[in-house]
Amino acid sequence: MFSSRTNWLLSPNRLSLEIEELRRKGRPLLDLTESNPTRCGLVFDQQGIFEALVNPQALAYTPDPRGLRSARQAVADYYAERGIALDQAQIFLTTSTSEAYSYIFRLLADPGDDILVPQPSYPLFEFLAGLNDVRVIAYPLFYDHGWQIDLRTLETRLEARARAILVVHPNNPTGSFVRRDELAGLLAFCRQRSIALVADEVFVDYSLGADPQRVVSHAAVTEALTFTLSGLSKISALPQMKVAWVVVNGPAQLLQDALARLEVIADTYLSLSAPLSLALPKLLDTRRTTQPQILGRVRSNLQSLDNQLEANRLVSRLELEGGWYAILRLPATRTDEDWALEIARQDGVLVHPGHFFDFSSEGHLVISLLTERAIFEEGLRKILARVAFEVQPLRPEGA
Ligand SMILES: Cc1ncc(COP(=O)(O)O)c(C=O)c1O
C-alpha cells in the first residue's frame, strides 16, 4: 500500500518512552532541550506582529512564484546590511527551510543521487533526503580545539552521483562556522565536479564573537552554483510564522538556468500566503529586539555553564562559536542514550544524547542555551552531580 520511502521505524525510542512515562506520572521535569523560542520567556512585539498580519491588501491574490516583491525586497535588504547586494530575482520565498530543501533537491538530483551532509548535524536531513528520493552521504567534522571540516574525507566520499555539498553555517549542534579556507576547498570540489553548494544559515546571526576567517554569508558566493537558506524561525525567533527563503547565486549562465527551473518548481506550489508575505518586512524587523534577548540568554547560560564546569574534572564542554546549543563531553562509561535515560529517570532532567545528531563517538550530550536561566542552572547542577555519582566508584582507590 505505501511507498518504500515511508518505511520508517515508527515506534518511539527508549528515551521518548521514558519521558512520556515521566510526564504521565506528573514528574516535574527540567527541560534542557527546549529550543522552541516561543516557549523560552522571550518578549515579542505582540502588537507590531498582530498589526502586520492584518492587511487589507491580503484580500487580493497576486501570485508570484518567487513570492511577493515587497517581501523579497525585505530579504534583499537583510543581506544588504551584511554588505551583500542581491537582485530580488535571486530570492525565492518558501514556508520553511524544509520546503526550500525539497525544491533544491528536486532541482539538482535524480532518484538515488547523493547529497553530502556534515556529521554531526541537523537530524532532519535524513528525512528530507529520503522524502525526495536522494541519498545522504555523511562527511565528518572533527574536533581539535574547535570544529573543522574534514575536507580530505569529504573528497573521498564524492562519488559519481554526488549532486551537492551541504554546509550548516553555523552548524547545529556544534556551533561552528565555515571558514574561508574551508569554503575555498568546498568550491574547488564543486567546480571540479559540476555540483552545487547548499548552505543552511538559519543560525548565522547568533555569533558569539567576530572572526575575520569566517565566511560572512554564502549568499555572496559566485564561484559555484550556491543555494543559501534561512528564514524567520531562527532569525526572528518566529517558527510559527512559517516563512523561509532560498537565495541563489553562482556563475551567470548556471545561475540563470537554475533560476528558470526553480521558478517552475515554485510556481507549481505557490505556497506562501498573502498575509505572511505582506507581514514579512515587519516580522523580519522584529529581529532587532529578539536577537539581543537570545544572544543575552545564550551568553549568560554559557557563562553559568563555564562557572559550574570550572572545578569539574569529569565533564567539559566543547568550544562553540555560535548557535543555540552547547555540547557536554562526559565519560563514555555508557552510551549517550543511557546517560540521557539515567539523567531523565533519576533527576528529571531532559538532554539530547549525541547520537540524535549523529556524533561518531559516545560521550556527548547536547543542551539548549535558550533554556530559561534558572532551569538551565538547576538542570546542569543535577547533571554534574549525576555524572559524579555514577563515575566516582570507577576511580581507582585513593584517587
Ligand atoms: C540547521 C537547521 N536548519 C533549519 C531548521 C528549521 O528551519 P525551518 O523552521 O525554517 O524549517 C532548523 C531547526 O532547528 C535547523 O536546526
Side-chain angles (χ1 to χ4, degrees), residues 35 95-99 101 121-125 168-172 200-203 230-234 239 242-245 324-325:
S35 58
T95 54
S96 60
T97 56
S98 294
E99 188 178 56
Y101 276 117
S121 194
Y122 184 39
L124 212 60
F125 291 141
V168 185
H169 180 71
N171 189 30
N172 168 10
D200 182 327
E201 295 192 347
V202 295
F203 289 107
S230 193
L232 289 185
S233 74
K234 305 292 183 284
K242 307 301 296 174
V243 184
W245 58 81
W324 294 0
Y325 299 94

Side-chain angles (χ1 to χ4, degrees), residues 299-316:
R299 285 207 169 91
S300 82
N301 279 340
L302 200 54
Q303 187 57 56
S304 84
L305 174 58
D306 287 343
N307 294 345
Q308 287 200 43
L309 289 180
E310 208 178 350
N312 197 303
R313 287 189 299 146
L314 294 173
V315 181
S316 59

